[in-house]
Amino acid sequence: MKIIVTGGAGFIGSNFIFYLRKKYPDYRIVCIDKLTYAGNLHTLKGILNSENFRFVKADICDRKAVDPLFAEERPDIVVNFAAESHVDRSIENPEIFLQTNIIGTAVLMDACREYGIKRFHQVSTDEVYGDLPLDRPDLFFTERTPPHTSSPYSSSKASADLLALAYHRTYQLPVTISRCSNNYGPYQFPEKLIPLMIVNALNDKPLPVYGEGINVRDWLYVEDHCKAIDMIIHNGKDGEVYNVGGHNEMRNMDIVKLICKELGKPESLIEHVTDRKGHDMRYAIDPAKIHAELGWLPDTKFENGIKTTINWYINNKNWWESILNGAYRNY
Ligand code: NAD
Ligand code: DAU
């Protein structure tokens, strides 16, 4: 089996490559990544020169780079993680989000049409559903919840989803889509809530909480997301969307306080800062479909996953320090 993984130098993509390598040592994995600020080749150093692995620095929007690579590699499966992924950056500058997240997905799917594949999997997000009110804990996102986006980021992801479903209907491209809740774990870029708070707390720096910190996110350990994608690419049905989440809703402030407690740092480091524009209140996934159809259930409980994650950042200071001082760009 030959798999192209795009965005494999980022957080979830790299964890997915490690997951595949361990479970299917015979698969050939080709990673395409543009190495934007969020891509870190150092993350892949243990696998870079290994057999059955190839890294290609390329932009998924660049047909001249993508098409010949597909012609040469003839992949069976393509898993598209490559994206601009940070909501705050999309609010500052939407355009690159539209380019990479929408056009990049179209370029990949065109190559899939041209060279024939068994599966194109689009890694999407629960943010395409917009948000839920805090006073309705009975409500969850299902696959039938209509897209209702809040940020340029989520709008670009929803656009890519619609395009993927259109390619399935129009060209019978064997597409699947997963919409996962917030991930946490090793190798997450320290701009996202959990790694930012861990790294700042370790450096005794302020912990910036947007607004009152009452927004709720539904946290999933990254390996459980990888497991879901593995099940979908092998056993999912063409043209289907699968929600992925582990029923683990937490308020931002509770997460930040927990990180302070685990690291033995004072809560006085917490600073309330200006709220994110259009800030989604609550995300909550109903994962009943992927459980019923593919047997997926998460393995990692939050209380264990967060400890593993905090310990990883404590033990891999060189990984995030090279990001803070910019040295990772030279790897
Ligand atoms: P990330 O920002 O850590 O990594 C993105 C990777 O894509 C980087 O390696 C970057 O270099 C690469 N990339 C960006 N633009 C590219 C381009 N034009 N061509 C090739 N490579 C490019 O992101 P992440 O958090 O690992 O998210 C991966 C995917 O999962 C995204 O599609 C995101 O929307 C989705 N997702 C993320 C979460 C989460 O909690 N992080 C949850 C659900 C879904
Ligand atoms: O739900 C899935 C999504 O989760 C993914 O699609 C996105 O790619 C991923 O970035 C993530 O989006 P969020 O906006 O939920 O994640 P972020 O880590 O940026 O923020 C989580 C919450 O914490 C959110 O309510 C904003 C808040 N926050 C974030 C940062 C960076 C703070 O209060 N302070 C901060 O400094």
Side-chain angles (χ1 to χ4, degrees), residues 253-283:
M253 186 53 106
D254 295 332
I255 299 253
V256 178
K257 285 184 176 168
L258 180 75
I259 291 171
C260 288
K261 189 165 166 237
E262 288 291 330
L263 290 174
K265 298 289 181 179
E267 287 182 10
S268 56
L269 286 175
I270 296 172
E271 267 184 17
H272 289 275
V273 299
T274 310
D275 209 348
R276 175 182 279 173
K277 289 187 181 111
H279 198 169
D280 281 336
M281 289 315 299
R282 170 177 169 248
Y283 301 149

PDB file of all heavy atoms in Angstrom, residues 253-283:
ATOM      1  N   MET A 253     -10.599  27.862  30.915  1.00  0.00           N
ATOM      2  CA  MET A 253      -9.991  28.249  32.186  1.00  0.00           C
ATOM      3  C   MET A 253      -9.643  27.007  33.022  1.00  0.00           C
ATOM      4  O   MET A 253      -8.605  26.982  33.697  1.00  0.00           O
ATOM      5  CB  MET A 253     -10.974  29.158  32.943  1.00  0.00           C
ATOM      6  CG  MET A 253     -10.410  29.743  34.198  1.00  0.00           C
ATOM      7  SD  MET A 253      -8.846  30.587  33.871  1.00  0.00           S
ATOM      8  CE  MET A 253      -9.367  32.256  33.975  1.00  0.00           C
ATOM      9  N   ASP A 254     -10.484  25.983  32.958  1.00  0.00           N
ATOM     10  CA  ASP A 254     -10.208  24.769  33.744  1.00  0.00           C
ATOM     11  C   ASP A 254      -8.955  24.053  33.223  1.00  0.00           C
ATOM     12  O   ASP A 254      -8.182  23.491  33.992  1.00  0.00           O
ATOM     13  CB  ASP A 254     -11.427  23.833  33.727  1.00  0.00           C
ATOM     14  CG  ASP A 254     -12.615  24.487  34.429  1.00  0.00           C
ATOM     15  OD1 ASP A 254     -12.374  25.328  35.326  1.00  0.00           O
ATOM     16  OD2 ASP A 254     -13.763  24.200  34.059  1.00  0.00           O
ATOM     17  N   ILE A 255      -8.770  24.097  31.907  1.00  0.00           N
ATOM     18  CA  ILE A 255      -7.571  23.491  31.310  1.00  0.00           C
ATOM     19  C   ILE A 255      -6.329  24.242  31.800  1.00  0.00           C
ATOM     20  O   ILE A 255      -5.331  23.635  32.199  1.00  0.00           O
ATOM     21  CB  ILE A 255      -7.613  23.594  29.766  1.00  0.00           C
ATOM     22  CG1 ILE A 255      -8.795  22.872  29.194  1.00  0.00           C
ATOM     23  CG2 ILE A 255      -6.287  23.200  29.142  1.00  0.00           C
ATOM     24  CD1 ILE A 255      -8.502  21.597  28.491  1.00  0.00           C
ATOM     25  N   VAL A 256      -6.401  25.566  31.751  1.00  0.00           N
ATOM     26  CA  VAL A 256      -5.225  26.364  32.112  1.00  0.00           C
ATOM     27  C   VAL A 256      -4.888  26.164  33.591  1.00  0.00           C
ATOM     28  O   VAL A 256      -3.717  25.993  33.970  1.00  0.00           O
ATOM     29  CB  VAL A 256      -5.462  27.862  31.768  1.00  0.00           C
ATOM     30  CG1 VAL A 256      -4.261  28.706  32.175  1.00  0.00           C
ATOM     31  CG2 VAL A 256      -5.724  28.020  30.270  1.00  0.00           C
ATOM     32  N   LYS A 257      -5.916  26.118  34.424  1.00  0.00           N
ATOM     33  CA  LYS A 257      -5.668  25.895  35.864  1.00  0.00           C
ATOM     34  C   LYS A 257      -5.070  24.510  36.106  1.00  0.00           C
ATOM     35  O   LYS A 257      -4.183  24.340  36.940  1.00  0.00           O
ATOM     36  CB  LYS A 257      -6.972  26.051  36.654  1.00  0.00           C
ATOM     37  CG  LYS A 257      -7.388  27.510  36.809  1.00  0.00           C
ATOM     38  CD  LYS A 257      -8.627  27.633  37.670  1.00  0.00           C
ATOM     39  CE  LYS A 257      -8.963  29.115  37.904  1.00  0.00           C
ATOM     40  NZ  LYS A 257     -10.271  29.314  38.483  1.00  0.00           N
ATOM     41  N   LEU A 258      -5.546  23.536  35.356  1.00  0.00           N
ATOM     42  CA  LEU A 258      -5.014  22.174  35.494  1.00  0.00           C
ATOM     43  C   LEU A 258      -3.524  22.128  35.125  1.00  0.00           C
ATOM     44  O   LEU A 258      -2.712  21.487  35.802  1.00  0.00           O
ATOM     45  CB  LEU A 258      -5.816  21.234  34.584  1.00  0.00           C
ATOM     46  CG  LEU A 258      -5.419  19.773  34.577  1.00  0.00           C
ATOM     47  CD1 LEU A 258      -5.913  19.094  35.857  1.00  0.00           C
ATOM     48  CD2 LEU A 258      -6.001  19.054  33.378  1.00  0.00           C
ATOM     49  N   ILE A 259      -3.175  22.843  34.045  1.00  0.00           N
ATOM     50  CA  ILE A 259      -1.761  22.881  33.618  1.00  0.00           C
ATOM     51  C   ILE A 259      -0.913  23.537  34.715  1.00  0.00           C
ATOM     52  O   ILE A 259       0.166  23.036  35.058  1.00  0.00           O
ATOM     53  CB  ILE A 259      -1.632  23.605  32.256  1.00  0.00           C
ATOM     54  CG1 ILE A 259      -2.254  22.738  31.161  1.00  0.00           C
ATOM     55  CG2 ILE A 259      -0.176  23.935  31.929  1.00  0.00           C
ATOM     56  CD1 ILE A 259      -2.404  23.404  29.802  1.00  0.00           C
ATOM     57  N   CYS A 260      -1.415  24.630  35.304  1.00  0.00           N
ATOM     58  CA  CYS A 260      -0.681  25.289  36.406  1.00  0.00           C
ATOM     59  C   CYS A 260      -0.462  24.288  37.539  1.00  0.00           C
ATOM     60  O   CYS A 260       0.649  24.174  38.086  1.00  0.00           O
ATOM     61  CB  CYS A 260      -1.475  26.473  36.957  1.00  0.00           C
ATOM     62  SG  CYS A 260      -1.516  27.880  35.852  1.00  0.00           S
ATOM     63  N   LYS A 261      -1.520  23.555  37.883  1.00  0.00           N
ATOM     64  CA  LYS A 261      -1.441  22.611  39.009  1.00  0.00           C
ATOM     65  C   LYS A 261      -0.417  21.511  38.717  1.00  0.00           C
ATOM     66  O   LYS A 261       0.449  21.211  39.544  1.00  0.00           O
ATOM     67  CB  LYS A 261      -2.835  22.003  39.244  1.00  0.00           C
ATOM     68  CG  LYS A 261      -2.940  21.175  40.492  1.00  0.00           C
ATOM     69  CD  LYS A 261      -4.408  20.914  40.844  1.00  0.00           C
ATOM     70  CE  LYS A 261      -4.453  19.806  41.868  1.00  0.00           C
ATOM     71  NZ  LYS A 261      -5.245  18.669  41.450  1.00  0.00           N
ATOM     72  N   GLU A 262      -0.500  20.936  37.522  1.00  0.00           N
ATOM     73  CA  GLU A 262       0.413  19.841  37.161  1.00  0.00           C
ATOM     74  C   GLU A 262       1.866  20.306  37.169  1.00  0.00           C
ATOM     75  O   GLU A 262       2.770  19.537  37.496  1.00  0.00           O
ATOM     76  CB  GLU A 262       0.076  19.293  35.770  1.00  0.00           C
ATOM     77  CG  GLU A 262      -1.202  18.474  35.701  1.00  0.00           C
ATOM     78  CD  GLU A 262      -1.109  17.142  36.435  1.00  0.00           C
ATOM     79  OE1 GLU A 262      -0.003  16.569  36.520  1.00  0.00           O
ATOM     80  OE2 GLU A 262      -2.157  16.688  36.940  1.00  0.00           O
ATOM     81  N   LEU A 263       2.094  21.568  36.791  1.00  0.00           N
ATOM     82  CA  LEU A 263       3.475  22.070  36.712  1.00  0.00           C
ATOM     83  C   LEU A 263       3.925  22.760  37.998  1.00  0.00           C
ATOM     84  O   LEU A 263       5.068  23.224  38.087  1.00  0.00           O
ATOM     85  CB  LEU A 263       3.606  23.057  35.534  1.00  0.00           C
ATOM     86  CG  LEU A 263       3.525  22.432  34.135  1.00  0.00           C
ATOM     87  CD1 LEU A 263       3.508  23.512  33.067  1.00  0.00           C
ATOM     88  CD2 LEU A 263       4.693  21.477  33.893  1.00  0.00           C
ATOM     89  N   GLY A 264       3.017  22.838  38.963  1.00  0.00           N
ATOM     90  CA  GLY A 264       3.363  23.509  40.224  1.00  0.00           C
ATOM     91  C   GLY A 264       3.598  25.000  40.042  1.00  0.00           C
ATOM     92  O   GLY A 264       4.457  25.596  40.709  1.00  0.00           O
ATOM     93  N   LYS A 265       2.844  25.605  39.124  1.00  0.00           N
ATOM     94  CA  LYS A 265       2.991  27.042  38.861  1.00  0.00           C
ATOM     95  C   LYS A 265       1.777  27.788  39.423  1.00  0.00           C
ATOM     96  O   LYS A 265       0.655  27.254  39.440  1.00  0.00           O
ATOM     97  CB  LYS A 265       3.083  27.302  37.343  1.00  0.00           C
ATOM     98  CG  LYS A 265       4.282  26.638  36.687  1.00  0.00           C
ATOM     99  CD  LYS A 265       5.587  27.304  37.086  1.00  0.00           C
ATOM    100  CE  LYS A 265       6.757  26.636  36.402  1.00  0.00           C
ATOM    101  NZ  LYS A 265       8.036  27.268  36.733  1.00  0.00           N
ATOM    102  N   PRO A 266       1.958  29.058  39.838  1.00  0.00           N
ATOM    103  CA  PRO A 266       0.848  29.794  40.450  1.00  0.00           C
ATOM    104  C   PRO A 266      -0.190  30.245  39.415  1.00  0.00           C
ATOM    105  O   PRO A 266       0.175  30.605  38.292  1.00  0.00           O
ATOM    106  CB  PRO A 266       1.538  31.019  41.064  1.00  0.00           C
ATOM    107  CG  PRO A 266       2.772  31.202  40.258  1.00  0.00           C
ATOM    108  CD  PRO A 266       3.206  29.842  39.802  1.00  0.00           C
ATOM    109  N   GLU A 267      -1.457  30.235  39.832  1.00  0.00           N
ATOM    110  CA  GLU A 267      -2.523  30.701  38.929  1.00  0.00           C
ATOM    111  C   GLU A 267      -2.418  32.206  38.669  1.00  0.00           C
ATOM    112  O   GLU A 267      -3.080  32.727  37.775  1.00  0.00           O
ATOM    113  CB  GLU A 267      -3.893  30.356  39.518  1.00  0.00           C
ATOM    114  CG  GLU A 267      -4.185  28.868  39.417  1.00  0.00           C
ATOM    115  CD  GLU A 267      -5.567  28.497  39.961  1.00  0.00           C
ATOM    116  OE1 GLU A 267      -6.371  29.405  40.247  1.00  0.00           O
ATOM    117  OE2 GLU A 267      -5.822  27.278  40.106  1.00  0.00           O
ATOM    118  N   SER A 268      -1.574  32.880  39.447  1.00  0.00           N
ATOM    119  CA  SER A 268      -1.403  34.329  39.219  1.00  0.00           C
ATOM    120  C   SER A 268      -0.739  34.598  37.859  1.00  0.00           C
ATOM    121  O   SER A 268      -0.727  35.739  37.392  1.00  0.00           O
ATOM    122  CB  SER A 268      -0.565  34.940  40.342  1.00  0.00           C
ATOM    123  OG  SER A 268       0.671  34.252  40.430  1.00  0.00           O
ATOM    124  N   LEU A 269      -0.237  33.553  37.200  1.00  0.00           N
ATOM    125  CA  LEU A 269       0.315  33.741  35.843  1.00  0.00           C
ATOM    126  C   LEU A 269      -0.814  33.986  34.830  1.00  0.00           C
ATOM    127  O   LEU A 269      -0.574  34.494  33.729  1.00  0.00           O
ATOM    128  CB  LEU A 269       1.100  32.494  35.405  1.00  0.00           C
ATOM    129  CG  LEU A 269       2.484  32.246  36.032  1.00  0.00           C
ATOM    130  CD1 LEU A 269       3.044  30.907  35.554  1.00  0.00           C
ATOM    131  CD2 LEU A 269       3.451  33.367  35.657  1.00  0.00           C
ATOM    132  N   ILE A 270      -2.045  33.589  35.198  1.00  0.00           N
ATOM    133  CA  ILE A 270      -3.170  33.719  34.251  1.00  0.00           C
ATOM    134  C   ILE A 270      -3.535  35.189  34.068  1.00  0.00           C
ATOM    135  O   ILE A 270      -3.692  35.928  35.032  1.00  0.00           O
ATOM    136  CB  ILE A 270      -4.408  32.928  34.763  1.00  0.00           C
ATOM    137  CG1 ILE A 270      -4.078  31.434  34.817  1.00  0.00           C
ATOM    138  CG2 ILE A 270      -5.630  33.203  33.891  1.00  0.00           C
ATOM    139  CD1 ILE A 270      -5.143  30.581  35.484  1.00  0.00           C
ATOM    140  N   GLU A 271      -3.655  35.594  32.778  1.00  0.00           N
ATOM    141  CA  GLU A 271      -4.053  36.972  32.459  1.00  0.00           C
ATOM    142  C   GLU A 271      -5.237  36.924  31.511  1.00  0.00           C
ATOM    143  O   GLU A 271      -5.168  36.259  30.483  1.00  0.00           O
ATOM    144  CB  GLU A 271      -2.907  37.685  31.723  1.00  0.00           C
ATOM    145  CG  GLU A 271      -1.993  38.452  32.614  1.00  0.00           C
ATOM    146  CD  GLU A 271      -0.925  39.212  31.827  1.00  0.00           C
ATOM    147  OE1 GLU A 271      -1.069  39.407  30.603  1.00  0.00           O
ATOM    148  OE2 GLU A 271       0.064  39.585  32.467  1.00  0.00           O
ATOM    149  N   HIS A 272      -6.302  37.629  31.848  1.00  0.00           N
ATOM    150  CA  HIS A 272      -7.425  37.722  30.907  1.00  0.00           C
ATOM    151  C   HIS A 272      -7.080  38.754  29.845  1.00  0.00           C
ATOM    152  O   HIS A 272      -6.698  39.872  30.176  1.00  0.00           O
ATOM    153  CB  HIS A 272      -8.705  38.110  31.647  1.00  0.00           C
ATOM    154  CG  HIS A 272      -9.219  36.987  32.499  1.00  0.00           C
ATOM    155  ND1 HIS A 272     -10.029  35.987  32.013  1.00  0.00           N
ATOM    156  CD2 HIS A 272      -8.976  36.684  33.789  1.00  0.00           C
ATOM    157  CE1 HIS A 272     -10.278  35.117  32.976  1.00  0.00           C
ATOM    158  NE2 HIS A 272      -9.652  35.514  34.071  1.00  0.00           N
ATOM    159  N   VAL A 273      -7.181  38.354  28.590  1.00  0.00           N
ATOM    160  CA  VAL A 273      -6.846  39.270  27.492  1.00  0.00           C
ATOM    161  C   VAL A 273      -8.074  39.427  26.588  1.00  0.00           C
ATOM    162  O   VAL A 273      -9.072  38.710  26.745  1.00  0.00           O
ATOM    163  CB  VAL A 273      -5.623  38.754  26.669  1.00  0.00           C
ATOM    164  CG1 VAL A 273      -4.393  38.647  27.543  1.00  0.00           C
ATOM    165  CG2 VAL A 273      -5.934  37.418  25.995  1.00  0.00           C
ATOM    166  N   THR A 274      -7.978  40.359  25.645  1.00  0.00           N
ATOM    167  CA  THR A 274      -9.099  40.637  24.731  1.00  0.00           C
ATOM    168  C   THR A 274      -9.578  39.347  24.064  1.00  0.00           C
ATOM    169  O   THR A 274      -8.763  38.529  23.626  1.00  0.00           O
ATOM    170  CB  THR A 274      -8.634  41.615  23.616  1.00  0.00           C
ATOM    171  OG1 THR A 274      -7.994  42.696  24.266  1.00  0.00           O
ATOM    172  CG2 THR A 274      -9.803  42.108  22.786  1.00  0.00           C
ATOM    173  N   ASP A 275     -10.876  39.210  23.983  1.00  0.00           N
ATOM    174  CA  ASP A 275     -11.451  37.985  23.424  1.00  0.00           C
ATOM    175  C   ASP A 275     -11.178  37.892  21.914  1.00  0.00           C
ATOM    176  O   ASP A 275     -10.993  38.915  21.244  1.00  0.00           O
ATOM    177  CB  ASP A 275     -12.975  37.988  23.668  1.00  0.00           C
ATOM    178  CG  ASP A 275     -13.527  36.578  23.801  1.00  0.00           C
ATOM    179  OD1 ASP A 275     -12.801  35.615  23.482  1.00  0.00           O
ATOM    180  OD2 ASP A 275     -14.692  36.442  24.215  1.00  0.00           O
ATOM    181  N   ARG A 276     -11.162  36.655  21.408  1.00  0.00           N
ATOM    182  CA  ARG A 276     -11.048  36.401  19.965  1.00  0.00           C
ATOM    183  C   ARG A 276     -12.312  36.945  19.290  1.00  0.00           C
ATOM    184  O   ARG A 276     -13.421  36.758  19.816  1.00  0.00           O
ATOM    185  CB  ARG A 276     -10.938  34.881  19.771  1.00  0.00           C
ATOM    186  CG  ARG A 276     -10.936  34.407  18.351  1.00  0.00           C
ATOM    187  CD  ARG A 276     -10.878  32.888  18.267  1.00  0.00           C
ATOM    188  NE  ARG A 276      -9.536  32.371  18.440  1.00  0.00           N
ATOM    189  CZ  ARG A 276      -9.232  31.068  18.544  1.00  0.00           C
ATOM    190  NH1 ARG A 276     -10.209  30.157  18.508  1.00  0.00           N
ATOM    191  NH2 ARG A 276      -7.993  30.665  18.690  1.00  0.00           N
ATOM    192  N   LYS A 277     -12.169  37.563  18.121  1.00  0.00           N
ATOM    193  CA  LYS A 277     -13.339  38.042  17.374  1.00  0.00           C
ATOM    194  C   LYS A 277     -14.176  36.831  16.929  1.00  0.00           C
ATOM    195  O   LYS A 277     -13.626  35.871  16.395  1.00  0.00           O
ATOM    196  CB  LYS A 277     -12.907  38.806  16.123  1.00  0.00           C
ATOM    197  CG  LYS A 277     -12.276  40.145  16.401  1.00  0.00           C
ATOM    198  CD  LYS A 277     -12.044  40.885  15.084  1.00  0.00           C
ATOM    199  CE  LYS A 277     -11.385  42.211  15.344  1.00  0.00           C
ATOM    200  NZ  LYS A 277     -10.007  42.313  14.884  1.00  0.00           N
ATOM    201  N   GLY A 278     -15.482  36.908  17.126  1.00  0.00           N
ATOM    202  CA  GLY A 278     -16.381  35.833  16.671  1.00  0.00           C
ATOM    203  C   GLY A 278     -16.163  34.516  17.397  1.00  0.00           C
ATOM    204  O   GLY A 278     -16.498  33.440  16.883  1.00  0.00           O
ATOM    205  N   HIS A 279     -15.598  34.573  18.601  1.00  0.00           N
ATOM    206  CA  HIS A 279     -15.168  33.387  19.363  1.00  0.00           C
ATOM    207  C   HIS A 279     -16.298  32.352  19.554  1.00  0.00           C
ATOM    208  O   HIS A 279     -17.308  32.642  20.194  1.00  0.00           O
ATOM    209  CB  HIS A 279     -14.672  33.870  20.738  1.00  0.00           C
ATOM    210  CG  HIS A 279     -13.822  32.894  21.454  1.00  0.00           C
ATOM    211  ND1 HIS A 279     -13.112  33.237  22.578  1.00  0.00           N
ATOM    212  CD2 HIS A 279     -13.533  31.584  21.221  1.00  0.00           C
ATOM    213  CE1 HIS A 279     -12.441  32.185  23.019  1.00  0.00           C
ATOM    214  NE2 HIS A 279     -12.686  31.173  22.198  1.00  0.00           N
ATOM    215  N   ASP A 280     -16.095  31.150  19.025  1.00  0.00           N
ATOM    216  CA  ASP A 280     -17.079  30.076  19.205  1.00  0.00           C
ATOM    217  C   ASP A 280     -17.184  29.701  20.685  1.00  0.00           C
ATOM    218  O   ASP A 280     -16.172  29.545  21.365  1.00  0.00           O
ATOM    219  CB  ASP A 280     -16.652  28.833  18.400  1.00  0.00           C
ATOM    220  CG  ASP A 280     -16.972  28.967  16.915  1.00  0.00           C
ATOM    221  OD1 ASP A 280     -17.873  29.740  16.560  1.00  0.00           O
ATOM    222  OD2 ASP A 280     -16.308  28.269  16.109  1.00  0.00           O
ATOM    223  N   MET A 281     -18.423  29.525  21.161  1.00  0.00           N
ATOM    224  CA  MET A 281     -18.628  29.247  22.588  1.00  0.00           C
ATOM    225  C   MET A 281     -18.338  27.796  22.964  1.00  0.00           C
ATOM    226  O   MET A 281     -17.593  27.522  23.897  1.00  0.00           O
ATOM    227  CB  MET A 281     -20.076  29.572  23.004  1.00  0.00           C
ATOM    228  CG  MET A 281     -20.411  31.037  23.051  1.00  0.00           C
ATOM    229  SD  MET A 281     -19.181  32.103  23.871  1.00  0.00           S
ATOM    230  CE  MET A 281     -19.128  31.487  25.517  1.00  0.00           C
ATOM    231  N   ARG A 282     -18.996  26.878  22.255  1.00  0.00           N
ATOM    232  CA  ARG A 282     -18.866  25.473  22.674  1.00  0.00           C
ATOM    233  C   ARG A 282     -18.831  24.553  21.462  1.00  0.00           C
ATOM    234  O   ARG A 282     -19.629  24.739  20.526  1.00  0.00           O
ATOM    235  CB  ARG A 282     -20.048  25.093  23.578  1.00  0.00           C
ATOM    236  CG  ARG A 282     -20.152  23.619  23.887  1.00  0.00           C
ATOM    237  CD  ARG A 282     -21.300  23.297  24.851  1.00  0.00           C
ATOM    238  NE  ARG A 282     -21.515  21.860  24.902  1.00  0.00           N
ATOM    239  CZ  ARG A 282     -22.593  21.227  24.429  1.00  0.00           C
ATOM    240  NH1 ARG A 282     -23.608  21.918  23.917  1.00  0.00           N
ATOM    241  NH2 ARG A 282     -22.683  19.916  24.491  1.00  0.00           N
ATOM    242  N   TYR A 283     -17.913  23.582  21.493  1.00  0.00           N
ATOM    243  CA  TYR A 283     -17.904  22.500  20.507  1.00  0.00           C
ATOM    244  C   TYR A 283     -18.192  21.210  21.260  1.00  0.00           C
ATOM    245  O   TYR A 283     -17.643  20.989  22.361  1.00  0.00           O
ATOM    246  CB  TYR A 283     -16.537  22.334  19.844  1.00  0.00           C
ATOM    247  CG  TYR A 283     -15.991  23.533  19.105  1.00  0.00           C
ATOM    248  CD1 TYR A 283     -14.612  23.748  19.042  1.00  0.00           C
ATOM    249  CD2 TYR A 283     -16.819  24.422  18.437  1.00  0.00           C
ATOM    250  CE1 TYR A 283     -14.081  24.824  18.353  1.00  0.00           C
ATOM    251  CE2 TYR A 283     -16.285  25.511  17.738  1.00  0.00           C
ATOM    252  CZ  TYR A 283     -14.922  25.707  17.712  1.00  0.00           C
ATOM    253  OH  TYR A 283     -14.395  26.767  17.033  1.00  0.00           O
TER     254      TYR A 283
END
